[in-house]
Amino acid sequence: MAGTHAEEPLAEDTADHDAHIYEEVMLCERMEHSQRLAVEELITTEASYVHNLQLCLSDIRAHLQKKQLPGLDLEGLFSNIDDILHVSRRFLRGLQDTATREHEQLLSISTLFQEFKEEMEMVYKIYCASYEHALLLVESYRKDPRLQEEIMETLTTTVPHTSASDLSFFLVMPVQRVTKYPLLLGKILENTPASTSNHAALAAAVRAMTQVNANINEYKRRQEVATKYNKAEQLTLRDRFARLNTHSIAKKTTRLSRLLMHEAGIVAKTEDKEYDDLEEKFQSVASSVAALKENVASYLKHLEAFLLPTPHKCELQMEEGPAQQYRRLAEHLHCAVFPEFRRRLDRLVWQPLCSLAEMLVGPQQLVKKRLDKLLDYEEIQERKSETGSVTYDEEAAMNTYLAINALLVAELPRFNQVAMQLLGQLLGSFCVLQQDLAAEVLHEAKKELEQMPHGHMLLPAFWRMVEDTLQQSGVQLHTFIQAFETVTPSPVPQPLNPAEERKVLSLVSKHGPDKLYQVTSNISGSKDMDLTLQRGQIVALLQSVDTKGNKGRWLVDAGGPRGFVPAAKLQPYCLGQSQQPRMQMSALESGTERRRHSYVSPEAPKPQVATFTPAFQVVAGFSFTARSPQELSLQAGQPVVVLEPHDKKGSTEWSLVEANGQRGYVPSSYLLTVPVQEPVGWSLPV
């Protein structure tokens, strides 16, 4: 009996142990079954996902492309879905290959996710960042009956089995898929015993895909910040004033004071060597693009002017010969060769260069906004160190700075690299275009050269012939100049009005007759110390060079104002016979000035003064009423004496005149020059 009682507890323990083992076996089988189902779900859903992507591209997008609907932005809708399909196809093949490795399938799946995580992050973050824009496009197409009808017709024709109501059914698939990878891996991980090596590998894969999704969300947030701040707003002054309020003024004042403290060294700047180097290179790229754009425009303008056949706008008297050949060559270059060069330059260099310049605007705005947000960040950090806490808005401002800074640090290197590559390609294209132009011009010139009389001469013989011809032409020209100078009469002074006569008297008394020059054409002063003079005015030469040693600008006395005028617009002025006696009398009566400038010998008898009667006089053509003490009222037909044909500022719109013993300014357009009617019975004295 004792043995019987001892065996009963042993049998009961054995049964419990067997039941426990059975439960563990069943649990393992259930976990293994669930694990197998989770793996099958991963592979099956990936295959379905890739199939739908292929439908989206090969059927839907291709069908819409054939329609060529105006206003339909296919690139904005589908973004980089081609890259996603390329990565997903390779990833699916890798998943399907793991099915052949029964005992190592989970480890292979984990390794596959680890290998593809960087590629997935790269393609999906671009797509997810542009997904909101794609949804806005879909929403706008719903409001356009024509576009919506075409889109629905495409969906019905290509994918009728999906019952999709619009494009968003397919566009959301990549966003949903990348977020589902951690969940699918997590389900496999839940059904994997923790004691196995597969568990650690799967856990690493889950963490990797979770990090991928976190990085995608962070990239999307940065892009949203960039979109907000990288637009160059064209605001009017009214709009800028409308934006001003107490908060914005306080914020800008704080930033300005912070910036001034940086420059004064009162507070230390936040140093970021990596960003500073990137920004310096970016600014160098921006300045290079601006300089190249300006230089290309200037080059094209000057090249067009150089090829313009200006000397041959008028028909030459020679119907044949080298002159006409050169004219034909110049016209062909300007009308045929240059337009083709300009078209190619515009397509291959100018338009890409302008596009690159436009691409710089966004980063430039972000660089500028980063400085503003950095000043806010420093101010908040300083306040946080004092109080130990920050407000919600301050925390958001700090996060905005960190997002902009991280975005620039991440994107500027690639942007700088691509911009430099594009600049190099544009410069290469520019050089090739110039080589082609030179070759084309040389080809056309050779064709014309073959038709010229001396086109087949050897180069040394040709240059000897040119030198001999130039020498003979030089001798003939010198002979002609000498003959011309012997028969050319002395320059005749232009008639002067009484005011100019008095000014000539004053200039002769101050500087002598040898220093007098007459203005041959109107002079408009464009620089400091330049004079504005009218044709026919008399001036006295003070110095035949300007302050910089330029002999083309002379310093003259215009009878009061002094300044510089072009030497080419002055000719020596010779006193007329009627002026000589008056000049001599003025010189004799000028005291000390007589000894300095008199050109009559002291022992010569005092000449008689001849009366100078002008042949013309100035009268008021219209009545004028003075409006200020500086002006003079005139009646129509009233004779006047013009003292100065300009006002104190040199403007010729007003003239200083004298009438009836009074002086004042009148409009120059009111004055007329008329012949003097000689009175009956009166004649010039002998």
Side-chain angles (χ1 to χ4, degrees), residues 199-229:
H199 188 277
L202 286 170
V206 171
R207 288 194 298 271
M209 295 311 298
T210 303
Q211 186 61 44
V212 166
N213 279 273
N215 293 341
I216 290 174
N217 290 333
E218 179 62 20
Y219 179 82
K220 182 179 178 183
R221 189 176 73 86
R222 292 177 184 176
Q223 291 298 318
E224 291 173 352
V225 172
T227 304
K228 178 181 178 181
Y229 290 113

PDB file of all heavy atoms in Angstrom, residues 199-229:
ATOM      1  N   HIS A 199      16.111  36.957 -33.125  1.00  0.00           N
ATOM      2  CA  HIS A 199      15.409  38.010 -32.401  1.00  0.00           C
ATOM      3  C   HIS A 199      16.236  39.305 -32.384  1.00  0.00           C
ATOM      4  O   HIS A 199      15.719  40.408 -32.640  1.00  0.00           O
ATOM      5  CB  HIS A 199      15.110  37.562 -30.969  1.00  0.00           C
ATOM      6  CG  HIS A 199      14.223  38.517 -30.218  1.00  0.00           C
ATOM      7  ND1 HIS A 199      14.709  39.640 -29.578  1.00  0.00           N
ATOM      8  CD2 HIS A 199      12.873  38.510 -30.009  1.00  0.00           C
ATOM      9  CE1 HIS A 199      13.726  40.281 -29.009  1.00  0.00           C
ATOM     10  NE2 HIS A 199      12.587  39.625 -29.251  1.00  0.00           N
ATOM     11  N   ALA A 200      17.513  39.215 -32.098  1.00  0.00           N
ATOM     12  CA  ALA A 200      18.362  40.408 -32.054  1.00  0.00           C
ATOM     13  C   ALA A 200      18.473  41.059 -33.427  1.00  0.00           C
ATOM     14  O   ALA A 200      18.444  42.292 -33.565  1.00  0.00           O
ATOM     15  CB  ALA A 200      19.750  40.032 -31.520  1.00  0.00           C
ATOM     16  N   ALA A 201      18.594  40.217 -34.480  1.00  0.00           N
ATOM     17  CA  ALA A 201      18.699  40.759 -35.837  1.00  0.00           C
ATOM     18  C   ALA A 201      17.417  41.472 -36.251  1.00  0.00           C
ATOM     19  O   ALA A 201      17.441  42.559 -36.845  1.00  0.00           O
ATOM     20  CB  ALA A 201      19.032  39.639 -36.820  1.00  0.00           C
ATOM     21  N   LEU A 202      16.266  40.851 -35.932  1.00  0.00           N
ATOM     22  CA  LEU A 202      14.989  41.484 -36.267  1.00  0.00           C
ATOM     23  C   LEU A 202      14.782  42.780 -35.480  1.00  0.00           C
ATOM     24  O   LEU A 202      14.247  43.767 -36.006  1.00  0.00           O
ATOM     25  CB  LEU A 202      13.844  40.508 -35.995  1.00  0.00           C
ATOM     26  CG  LEU A 202      13.688  39.360 -36.998  1.00  0.00           C
ATOM     27  CD1 LEU A 202      12.690  38.336 -36.481  1.00  0.00           C
ATOM     28  CD2 LEU A 202      13.239  39.905 -38.354  1.00  0.00           C
ATOM     29  N   ALA A 203      15.198  42.783 -34.226  1.00  0.00           N
ATOM     30  CA  ALA A 203      15.074  44.004 -33.419  1.00  0.00           C
ATOM     31  C   ALA A 203      15.903  45.129 -34.027  1.00  0.00           C
ATOM     32  O   ALA A 203      15.480  46.297 -34.055  1.00  0.00           O
ATOM     33  CB  ALA A 203      15.514  43.718 -31.981  1.00  0.00           C
ATOM     34  N   ALA A 204      17.112  44.791 -34.526  1.00  0.00           N
ATOM     35  CA  ALA A 204      17.948  45.808 -35.182  1.00  0.00           C
ATOM     36  C   ALA A 204      17.274  46.321 -36.447  1.00  0.00           C
ATOM     37  O   ALA A 204      17.329  47.529 -36.756  1.00  0.00           O
ATOM     38  CB  ALA A 204      19.318  45.216 -35.504  1.00  0.00           C
ATOM     39  N   ALA A 205      16.606  45.430 -37.211  1.00  0.00           N
ATOM     40  CA  ALA A 205      15.898  45.848 -38.423  1.00  0.00           C
ATOM     41  C   ALA A 205      14.725  46.768 -38.084  1.00  0.00           C
ATOM     42  O   ALA A 205      14.466  47.758 -38.784  1.00  0.00           O
ATOM     43  CB  ALA A 205      15.414  44.619 -39.189  1.00  0.00           C
ATOM     44  N   VAL A 206      13.995  46.434 -36.995  1.00  0.00           N
ATOM     45  CA  VAL A 206      12.877  47.284 -36.567  1.00  0.00           C
ATOM     46  C   VAL A 206      13.395  48.676 -36.205  1.00  0.00           C
ATOM     47  O   VAL A 206      12.805  49.699 -36.592  1.00  0.00           O
ATOM     48  CB  VAL A 206      12.133  46.642 -35.384  1.00  0.00           C
ATOM     49  CG1 VAL A 206      11.117  47.623 -34.801  1.00  0.00           C
ATOM     50  CG2 VAL A 206      11.430  45.370 -35.833  1.00  0.00           C
ATOM     51  N   ARG A 207      14.483  48.723 -35.451  1.00  0.00           N
ATOM     52  CA  ARG A 207      15.042  50.030 -35.069  1.00  0.00           C
ATOM     53  C   ARG A 207      15.502  50.818 -36.305  1.00  0.00           C
ATOM     54  O   ARG A 207      15.321  52.039 -36.374  1.00  0.00           O
ATOM     55  CB  ARG A 207      16.213  49.826 -34.108  1.00  0.00           C
ATOM     56  CG  ARG A 207      15.801  49.363 -32.716  1.00  0.00           C
ATOM     57  CD  ARG A 207      16.957  49.519 -31.736  1.00  0.00           C
ATOM     58  NE  ARG A 207      18.108  48.681 -32.128  1.00  0.00           N
ATOM     59  CZ  ARG A 207      18.292  47.433 -31.747  1.00  0.00           C
ATOM     60  NH1 ARG A 207      17.387  46.839 -30.953  1.00  0.00           N
ATOM     61  NH2 ARG A 207      19.366  46.748 -32.126  1.00  0.00           N
ATOM     62  N   ALA A 208      16.087  50.101 -37.261  1.00  0.00           N
ATOM     63  CA  ALA A 208      16.567  50.772 -38.472  1.00  0.00           C
ATOM     64  C   ALA A 208      15.410  51.401 -39.251  1.00  0.00           C
ATOM     65  O   ALA A 208      15.482  52.568 -39.671  1.00  0.00           O
ATOM     66  CB  ALA A 208      17.326  49.783 -39.356  1.00  0.00           C
ATOM     67  N   MET A 209      14.320  50.670 -39.454  1.00  0.00           N
ATOM     68  CA  MET A 209      13.201  51.209 -40.221  1.00  0.00           C
ATOM     69  C   MET A 209      12.443  52.270 -39.430  1.00  0.00           C
ATOM     70  O   MET A 209      11.882  53.206 -40.025  1.00  0.00           O
ATOM     71  CB  MET A 209      12.255  50.077 -40.624  1.00  0.00           C
ATOM     72  CG  MET A 209      12.885  49.073 -41.594  1.00  0.00           C
ATOM     73  SD  MET A 209      13.706  49.855 -43.004  1.00  0.00           S
ATOM     74  CE  MET A 209      12.339  50.699 -43.787  1.00  0.00           C
ATOM     75  N   THR A 210      12.422  52.150 -38.108  1.00  0.00           N
ATOM     76  CA  THR A 210      11.823  53.212 -37.295  1.00  0.00           C
ATOM     77  C   THR A 210      12.626  54.496 -37.439  1.00  0.00           C
ATOM     78  O   THR A 210      12.060  55.598 -37.551  1.00  0.00           O
ATOM     79  CB  THR A 210      11.769  52.785 -35.818  1.00  0.00           C
ATOM     80  OG1 THR A 210      11.029  51.565 -35.714  1.00  0.00           O
ATOM     81  CG2 THR A 210      11.109  53.862 -34.972  1.00  0.00           C
ATOM     82  N   GLN A 211      13.951  54.372 -37.459  1.00  0.00           N
ATOM     83  CA  GLN A 211      14.806  55.540 -37.642  1.00  0.00           C
ATOM     84  C   GLN A 211      14.636  56.140 -39.035  1.00  0.00           C
ATOM     85  O   GLN A 211      14.669  57.361 -39.207  1.00  0.00           O
ATOM     86  CB  GLN A 211      16.280  55.152 -37.418  1.00  0.00           C
ATOM     87  CG  GLN A 211      17.247  56.328 -37.435  1.00  0.00           C
ATOM     88  CD  GLN A 211      16.945  57.330 -36.335  1.00  0.00           C
ATOM     89  OE1 GLN A 211      16.682  56.947 -35.201  1.00  0.00           O
ATOM     90  NE2 GLN A 211      16.973  58.615 -36.676  1.00  0.00           N
ATOM     91  N   VAL A 212      14.439  55.265 -40.027  1.00  0.00           N
ATOM     92  CA  VAL A 212      14.187  55.759 -41.387  1.00  0.00           C
ATOM     93  C   VAL A 212      12.944  56.634 -41.416  1.00  0.00           C
ATOM     94  O   VAL A 212      12.934  57.732 -41.996  1.00  0.00           O
ATOM     95  CB  VAL A 212      14.047  54.577 -42.368  1.00  0.00           C
ATOM     96  CG1 VAL A 212      13.439  55.042 -43.696  1.00  0.00           C
ATOM     97  CG2 VAL A 212      15.395  53.922 -42.618  1.00  0.00           C
ATOM     98  N   ASN A 213      11.874  56.182 -40.779  1.00  0.00           N
ATOM     99  CA  ASN A 213      10.645  56.974 -40.742  1.00  0.00           C
ATOM    100  C   ASN A 213      10.837  58.271 -39.964  1.00  0.00           C
ATOM    101  O   ASN A 213      10.296  59.323 -40.343  1.00  0.00           O
ATOM    102  CB  ASN A 213       9.509  56.150 -40.125  1.00  0.00           C
ATOM    103  CG  ASN A 213       8.869  55.208 -41.128  1.00  0.00           C
ATOM    104  OD1 ASN A 213       7.949  55.569 -41.845  1.00  0.00           O
ATOM    105  ND2 ASN A 213       9.379  53.979 -41.183  1.00  0.00           N
ATOM    106  N   ALA A 214      11.614  58.218 -38.880  1.00  0.00           N
ATOM    107  CA  ALA A 214      11.888  59.439 -38.113  1.00  0.00           C
ATOM    108  C   ALA A 214      12.672  60.432 -38.952  1.00  0.00           C
ATOM    109  O   ALA A 214      12.400  61.654 -38.936  1.00  0.00           O
ATOM    110  CB  ALA A 214      12.642  59.091 -36.834  1.00  0.00           C
ATOM    111  N   ASN A 215      13.655  59.939 -39.707  1.00  0.00           N
ATOM    112  CA  ASN A 215      14.445  60.823 -40.570  1.00  0.00           C
ATOM    113  C   ASN A 215      13.599  61.419 -41.690  1.00  0.00           C
ATOM    114  O   ASN A 215      13.784  62.576 -42.081  1.00  0.00           O
ATOM    115  CB  ASN A 215      15.631  60.057 -41.164  1.00  0.00           C
ATOM    116  CG  ASN A 215      16.642  59.645 -40.110  1.00  0.00           C
ATOM    117  OD1 ASN A 215      16.662  60.196 -39.014  1.00  0.00           O
ATOM    118  ND2 ASN A 215      17.485  58.678 -40.436  1.00  0.00           N
ATOM    119  N   ILE A 216      12.673  60.618 -42.215  1.00  0.00           N
ATOM    120  CA  ILE A 216      11.774  61.129 -43.261  1.00  0.00           C
ATOM    121  C   ILE A 216      10.901  62.253 -42.707  1.00  0.00           C
ATOM    122  O   ILE A 216      10.716  63.297 -43.350  1.00  0.00           O
ATOM    123  CB  ILE A 216      10.916  59.980 -43.825  1.00  0.00           C
ATOM    124  CG1 ILE A 216      11.781  59.016 -44.635  1.00  0.00           C
ATOM    125  CG2 ILE A 216       9.784  60.535 -44.682  1.00  0.00           C
ATOM    126  CD1 ILE A 216      11.047  57.783 -45.108  1.00  0.00           C
ATOM    127  N   ASN A 217      10.364  62.058 -41.513  1.00  0.00           N
ATOM    128  CA  ASN A 217       9.532  63.094 -40.902  1.00  0.00           C
ATOM    129  C   ASN A 217      10.336  64.367 -40.627  1.00  0.00           C
ATOM    130  O   ASN A 217       9.840  65.486 -40.815  1.00  0.00           O
ATOM    131  CB  ASN A 217       8.920  62.573 -39.603  1.00  0.00           C
ATOM    132  CG  ASN A 217       7.861  61.516 -39.840  1.00  0.00           C
ATOM    133  OD1 ASN A 217       7.221  61.512 -40.895  1.00  0.00           O
ATOM    134  ND2 ASN A 217       7.691  60.606 -38.898  1.00  0.00           N
ATOM    135  N   GLU A 218      11.580  64.198 -40.173  1.00  0.00           N
ATOM    136  CA  GLU A 218      12.430  65.360 -39.910  1.00  0.00           C
ATOM    137  C   GLU A 218      12.762  66.088 -41.207  1.00  0.00           C
ATOM    138  O   GLU A 218      12.757  67.320 -41.264  1.00  0.00           O
ATOM    139  CB  GLU A 218      13.714  64.913 -39.212  1.00  0.00           C
ATOM    140  CG  GLU A 218      14.694  66.041 -38.905  1.00  0.00           C
ATOM    141  CD  GLU A 218      14.131  67.086 -37.962  1.00  0.00           C
ATOM    142  OE1 GLU A 218      13.150  66.787 -37.246  1.00  0.00           O
ATOM    143  OE2 GLU A 218      14.677  68.211 -37.936  1.00  0.00           O
ATOM    144  N   TYR A 219      13.044  65.336 -42.260  1.00  0.00           N
ATOM    145  CA  TYR A 219      13.322  65.953 -43.561  1.00  0.00           C
ATOM    146  C   TYR A 219      12.095  66.703 -44.073  1.00  0.00           C
ATOM    147  O   TYR A 219      12.220  67.813 -44.618  1.00  0.00           O
ATOM    148  CB  TYR A 219      13.729  64.871 -44.559  1.00  0.00           C
ATOM    149  CG  TYR A 219      14.023  65.398 -45.945  1.00  0.00           C
ATOM    150  CD1 TYR A 219      15.255  65.957 -46.254  1.00  0.00           C
ATOM    151  CD2 TYR A 219      13.056  65.347 -46.951  1.00  0.00           C
ATOM    152  CE1 TYR A 219      15.529  66.443 -47.524  1.00  0.00           C
ATOM    153  CE2 TYR A 219      13.314  65.833 -48.221  1.00  0.00           C
ATOM    154  CZ  TYR A 219      14.549  66.379 -48.504  1.00  0.00           C
ATOM    155  OH  TYR A 219      14.811  66.860 -49.762  1.00  0.00           O
ATOM    156  N   LYS A 220      10.926  66.099 -43.881  1.00  0.00           N
ATOM    157  CA  LYS A 220       9.697  66.759 -44.310  1.00  0.00           C
ATOM    158  C   LYS A 220       9.482  68.054 -43.539  1.00  0.00           C
ATOM    159  O   LYS A 220       9.080  69.078 -44.111  1.00  0.00           O
ATOM    160  CB  LYS A 220       8.513  65.809 -44.101  1.00  0.00           C
ATOM    161  CG  LYS A 220       7.179  66.361 -44.565  1.00  0.00           C
ATOM    162  CD  LYS A 220       6.070  65.352 -44.333  1.00  0.00           C
ATOM    163  CE  LYS A 220       4.723  65.944 -44.752  1.00  0.00           C
ATOM    164  NZ  LYS A 220       3.612  65.001 -44.478  1.00  0.00           N
ATOM    165  N   ARG A 221       9.783  68.035 -42.239  1.00  0.00           N
ATOM    166  CA  ARG A 221       9.627  69.248 -41.433  1.00  0.00           C
ATOM    167  C   ARG A 221      10.600  70.337 -41.895  1.00  0.00           C
ATOM    168  O   ARG A 221      10.241  71.513 -41.983  1.00  0.00           O
ATOM    169  CB  ARG A 221       9.869  68.928 -39.959  1.00  0.00           C
ATOM    170  CG  ARG A 221       9.512  70.067 -39.003  1.00  0.00           C
ATOM    171  CD  ARG A 221       9.699  69.631 -37.563  1.00  0.00           C
ATOM    172  NE  ARG A 221      11.106  69.526 -37.219  1.00  0.00           N
ATOM    173  CZ  ARG A 221      11.840  70.563 -36.802  1.00  0.00           C
ATOM    174  NH1 ARG A 221      11.293  71.757 -36.684  1.00  0.00           N
ATOM    175  NH2 ARG A 221      13.105  70.399 -36.494  1.00  0.00           N
ATOM    176  N   ARG A 222      11.822  69.938 -42.219  1.00  0.00           N
ATOM    177  CA  ARG A 222      12.797  70.912 -42.705  1.00  0.00           C
ATOM    178  C   ARG A 222      12.357  71.516 -44.034  1.00  0.00           C
ATOM    179  O   ARG A 222      12.516  72.719 -44.263  1.00  0.00           O
ATOM    180  CB  ARG A 222      14.158  70.243 -42.875  1.00  0.00           C
ATOM    181  CG  ARG A 222      14.817  69.814 -41.562  1.00  0.00           C
ATOM    182  CD  ARG A 222      16.118  69.097 -41.844  1.00  0.00           C
ATOM    183  NE  ARG A 222      16.742  68.574 -40.632  1.00  0.00           N
ATOM    184  CZ  ARG A 222      17.847  67.838 -40.622  1.00  0.00           C
ATOM    185  NH1 ARG A 222      18.444  67.525 -41.771  1.00  0.00           N
ATOM    186  NH2 ARG A 222      18.352  67.411 -39.485  1.00  0.00           N
ATOM    187  N   GLN A 223      11.805  70.673 -44.893  1.00  0.00           N
ATOM    188  CA  GLN A 223      11.332  71.182 -46.176  1.00  0.00           C
ATOM    189  C   GLN A 223      10.182  72.163 -45.995  1.00  0.00           C
ATOM    190  O   GLN A 223      10.067  73.147 -46.741  1.00  0.00           O
ATOM    191  CB  GLN A 223      10.896  70.016 -47.070  1.00  0.00           C
ATOM    192  CG  GLN A 223      12.042  69.139 -47.543  1.00  0.00           C
ATOM    193  CD  GLN A 223      13.041  69.900 -48.384  1.00  0.00           C
ATOM    194  OE1 GLN A 223      12.676  70.707 -49.233  1.00  0.00           O
ATOM    195  NE2 GLN A 223      14.318  69.658 -48.141  1.00  0.00           N
ATOM    196  N   GLU A 224       9.334  71.907 -45.033  1.00  0.00           N
ATOM    197  CA  GLU A 224       8.239  72.838 -44.763  1.00  0.00           C
ATOM    198  C   GLU A 224       8.779  74.179 -44.274  1.00  0.00           C
ATOM    199  O   GLU A 224       8.280  75.244 -44.660  1.00  0.00           O
ATOM    200  CB  GLU A 224       7.290  72.234 -43.728  1.00  0.00           C
ATOM    201  CG  GLU A 224       6.490  71.040 -44.250  1.00  0.00           C
ATOM    202  CD  GLU A 224       5.690  70.353 -43.159  1.00  0.00           C
ATOM    203  OE1 GLU A 224       5.878  70.717 -41.975  1.00  0.00           O
ATOM    204  OE2 GLU A 224       4.883  69.453 -43.485  1.00  0.00           O
ATOM    205  N   VAL A 225       9.816  74.135 -43.429  1.00  0.00           N
ATOM    206  CA  VAL A 225      10.452  75.377 -42.972  1.00  0.00           C
ATOM    207  C   VAL A 225      11.093  76.096 -44.145  1.00  0.00           C
ATOM    208  O   VAL A 225      10.987  77.322 -44.287  1.00  0.00           O
ATOM    209  CB  VAL A 225      11.491  75.074 -41.870  1.00  0.00           C
ATOM    210  CG1 VAL A 225      12.288  76.326 -41.521  1.00  0.00           C
ATOM    211  CG2 VAL A 225      10.799  74.531 -40.638  1.00  0.00           C
ATOM    212  N   ALA A 226      11.783  75.333 -45.006  1.00  0.00           N
ATOM    213  CA  ALA A 226      12.433  75.932 -46.166  1.00  0.00           C
ATOM    214  C   ALA A 226      11.411  76.568 -47.098  1.00  0.00           C
ATOM    215  O   ALA A 226      11.616  77.675 -47.611  1.00  0.00           O
ATOM    216  CB  ALA A 226      13.241  74.875 -46.913  1.00  0.00           C
ATOM    217  N   THR A 227      10.302  75.876 -47.327  1.00  0.00           N
ATOM    218  CA  THR A 227       9.259  76.421 -48.192  1.00  0.00           C
ATOM    219  C   THR A 227       8.690  77.713 -47.628  1.00  0.00           C
ATOM    220  O   THR A 227       8.339  78.640 -48.367  1.00  0.00           O
ATOM    221  CB  THR A 227       8.126  75.383 -48.363  1.00  0.00           C
ATOM    222  OG1 THR A 227       8.679  74.171 -48.874  1.00  0.00           O
ATOM    223  CG2 THR A 227       7.062  75.896 -49.312  1.00  0.00           C
ATOM    224  N   LYS A 228       8.629  77.796 -46.321  1.00  0.00           N
ATOM    225  CA  LYS A 228       8.081  78.991 -45.681  1.00  0.00           C
ATOM    226  C   LYS A 228       9.013  80.187 -45.819  1.00  0.00           C
ATOM    227  O   LYS A 228       8.554  81.314 -46.024  1.00  0.00           O
ATOM    228  CB  LYS A 228       7.827  78.700 -44.200  1.00  0.00           C
ATOM    229  CG  LYS A 228       7.304  79.903 -43.416  1.00  0.00           C
ATOM    230  CD  LYS A 228       7.093  79.538 -41.953  1.00  0.00           C
ATOM    231  CE  LYS A 228       6.607  80.748 -41.153  1.00  0.00           C
ATOM    232  NZ  LYS A 228       6.428  80.418 -39.717  1.00  0.00           N
ATOM    233  N   TYR A 229      10.333  79.953 -45.749  1.00  0.00           N
ATOM    234  CA  TYR A 229      11.268  81.072 -45.664  1.00  0.00           C
ATOM    235  C   TYR A 229      12.087  81.327 -46.925  1.00  0.00           C
ATOM    236  O   TYR A 229      12.765  82.351 -46.998  1.00  0.00           O
ATOM    237  CB  TYR A 229      12.247  80.845 -44.506  1.00  0.00           C
ATOM    238  CG  TYR A 229      11.604  80.966 -43.151  1.00  0.00           C
ATOM    239  CD1 TYR A 229      11.486  79.853 -42.320  1.00  0.00           C
ATOM    240  CD2 TYR A 229      11.113  82.170 -42.693  1.00  0.00           C
ATOM    241  CE1 TYR A 229      10.898  79.955 -41.068  1.00  0.00           C
ATOM    242  CE2 TYR A 229      10.522  82.285 -41.450  1.00  0.00           C
ATOM    243  CZ  TYR A 229      10.417  81.169 -40.640  1.00  0.00           C
ATOM    244  OH  TYR A 229       9.831  81.271 -39.408  1.00  0.00           O
TER     245      TYR A 229
END
